[in-house]
DNA sequence: CTTGACACCTAGCAATACTAGGTATAAACT
DNA sequence: AGTTTATACCTAGTATTGCTAGGTGTCAAG
């Protein structure tokens, strides 16, 4: 909720969302909310800078969709982004396993 | 590893460790390493400030053990800490579930 | 014609794990 | 005897990052 638990995991979520197909920022927010069952209801000030970061790192690429009624910046995974996603998924599984083991769950 | 994935989850781990019995800081580091299967090999500069923070918040209490060959500051859970642990465990379960759902795992 | 949903953006804040340094004792090795 | 290693504590400063709080603009609905 209002704590810092998401830190370091947001990029993984964004890459996961975009692995299911290109999407613009606002739609990413909506997907995050729906697919997490309402758990991840994140403000724009969180998502947009994160998308910019990932693009700057070469994990995402974007294009402006001018055909839509409103201007939209559509993001999609690069090959490097796909690679990073696989790596991050493995890291997440190891991380959550380690937490569970440590916490005795 | 070297990323920020631990952020916001360390307190939960520390409370979990100390729920199994009082321990001093150096032993907590050792427990974290062992119980996580080597995944959490955390530097002292991470653990000591975190323990101080938790004590300041009233989740831990400490006493100096002078009987040991070297001086040791032994931490144990308070009632408030026990409560917080239960809450954090539920939050962790919800969080990891939400991540898995979002990532499609 | 104003409210709300859509759709983008950024400067600064707050929190936190970590780096890099420090002190000190006991055991083990050379 | 002297040096290294493991034990055991500490803190000032750094870097990253999610978020707050503001801003701009379009379009549909009331």
């Amino acid at each position: 909720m209002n704590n810092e638990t998401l830190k370091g995991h947001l990029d993984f979520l964004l890459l996961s969302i975009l692995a299911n197909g290109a999407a613009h920022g606002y739609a990413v927010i909506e997907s995050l909310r729906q697919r997490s069952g309402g758990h991840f209801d994140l403000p724009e000030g969180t998502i947009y800078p994160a998308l910019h970061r990932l693009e700057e790192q070469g994990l995402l690429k974007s294009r402006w969709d001018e055909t839509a009624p409103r201007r939209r910046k559509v993001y999609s995974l690069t090959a490097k982004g796909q690679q990073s996603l696989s790596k991050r998924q493995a890291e997440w599984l190891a991380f959550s396993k380690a937490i569970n083991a440590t916490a005795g769950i």
Side-chain angles (χ1 to χ4, degrees), chain A:
Chain A
M1 295 277 286
N2 48 352
N3 39 8
E4 317 257 310
T5 47
L6 187 57
K7 246 167 202 168
H9 302 281
L10 178 58
D11 293 358
F12 172 45
L13 291 178
L14 295 179
L15 294 174
S16 294
I17 293 283
L18 293 173
N20 282 49
H24 63 286
Y26 207 82
V28 167
I29 294 176
E30 186 71 13
S31 285
L32 272 171
R33 187 163 36 221
Q34 289 184 350
R35 293 174 55 168
S36 70
H39 195 93
F40 297 129
D41 190 7
L42 304 180
E44 304 172 17
T46 294
I47 300 302
Y48 290 120
L51 290 172
H52 299 162
R53 221 163 43 214
L54 291 172
E55 185 175 22
E56 197 179 2
Q57 292 168 9
L59 306 183
L60 300 181
K61 60 179 187 286
S62 69
R63 63 168 212 278
W64 284 98
D65 179 8
E66 307 288 2
T67 72
R70 291 180 205 79
R71 66 165 192 165
R72 291 173 170 179
K73 201 174 184 179
V74 177
Y75 291 89
S76 55
L77 280 188
T78 63
K80 193 176 166 190
Q82 184 71 51
Q83 268 188 330
S84 178
L85 173 57
S86 301
K87 188 181 156 202
R88 281 165 197 268
Q89 179 163 344
E91 282 174 356
W92 160 253
L93 289 172
F95 174 78
S96 63
K97 196 173 165 182
I99 292 266
N100 286 336
T102 306
I105 298 180

